Amino acid sequence: PSHGLDPADYPLVALRRAAGESGGDPVVVAERDVLLTATLSRLTRDLAVGKVDPRGLYPEWNFAPRPGVAESVALLEQTLRAPDLRGAVLRLAPQVPEYDGLRGALVEYRRLHVAGGWLPLVEGPTLKPGMRDPRVVALRARLAAEGDGAPPGPGGPAMFDAALAAAVGRFQARHGLEADGAVGARTLAELNVSAQA
């Protein structure tokens, strides 16, 4: 799960049952071997190249094709030859800082979801610096939930001040939006994506 993989995609109940079976029945041994091998093959492929074919999401993206049977078998054989199976499997995941950042964000968003997430913001006219609006109080709370807190200035919590505009700008930049510090329709839509999503 810490890699964004869903345990339900793997036959955990069958694996546990097979691991507990004993005896020398060759049929049971063969079935267990096939189950373990197929599951490990799927896990190694999912960690190494992901579960989703990017071209299925964005046909115009130019990605290398997903590995075929020969590549999957070679990956599995390489993993099985390693002296430390667990370490070999974990090394299949991307070894770049961006991936580590995504894993950290996954942990944080799961924590936020369990803690109750945040309430959606009410639609209305674009919120801009200098405005006073009751929705600004909710905006402050929403940004604080993700660590973009902006304590109210002398104008009070309903005043859209410069510190709040800077916090909105940081949020916008992280979400690929124009960092103008105003909360229009696109920024509001991103703010209203739930922690669970």
Side-chain angles (χ1 to χ4, degrees):
S2 71
H3 288 270
L5 299 176
D6 186 351
D9 290 343
Y10 305 92
L12 298 179
V13 172
L15 288 168
R16 287 188 184 106
R17 186 173 47 245
E21 293 174 351
S22 60
D25 183 346
V27 172
V28 171
V29 171
E31 288 174 350
R32 179 172 47 203
D33 186 46
V34 168
L35 176 66
L36 292 170
T37 302
T39 305
L40 182 60
S41 178
R42 179 171 188 175
L43 177 62
T44 58
R45 187 181 60 251
D46 288 351
L47 278 173
V49 300
K51 287 177 43 179
V52 177
D53 181 355
R55 290 175 299 180
L57 297 173
Y58 303 101
E60 66 276 4
W61 281 8
N62 185 17
F63 281 90
R66 292 181 59 77
V69 173
E71 293 89 356
S72 294
V73 168
L75 180 64
L76 180 61
E77 287 176 345
Q78 174 188 347
T79 304
L80 288 170
R81 279 195 297 272
D84 171 21
L85 180 62
R86 184 178 194 282
V89 169
L90 292 176
R91 283 189 296 278
L92 292 171
Q95 303 295 310
V96 295
E98 295 84 358
Y99 186 75
D100 291 338
L102 287 170
R103 289 184 66 210
L106 179 61
V107 169
E108 179 60 14
Y109 282 109
R110 285 179 173 162
R111 184 194 67 74
L112 287 168
H113 170 64
V114 168
W118 47 75
L119 296 173
L121 300 174
V122 177
E123 293 185 21
T126 297
L127 292 171
K128 298 178 183 175
M131 291 178 70
R132 179 176 297 282
D133 190 300
R135 295 177 298 148
V136 172
V137 176
L139 173 62
R140 284 183 191 282
R142 166 61 183 89
L143 290 170
E146 281 189 278
D148 285 318
M159 173 58 77
F160 198 125
D161 54 28
L164 184 58
V168 169
R170 288 189 301 274
F171 175 89
Q172 290 169 322
R174 263 198 335 273
H175 290 265
L177 301 169
E178 180 186 352
D180 61 5
V183 180
R186 290 186 64 208
T187 300
L188 182 66
E190 287 296 323
L191 286 163
N192 282 341
V193 172
S194 70
Q196 181 179 16

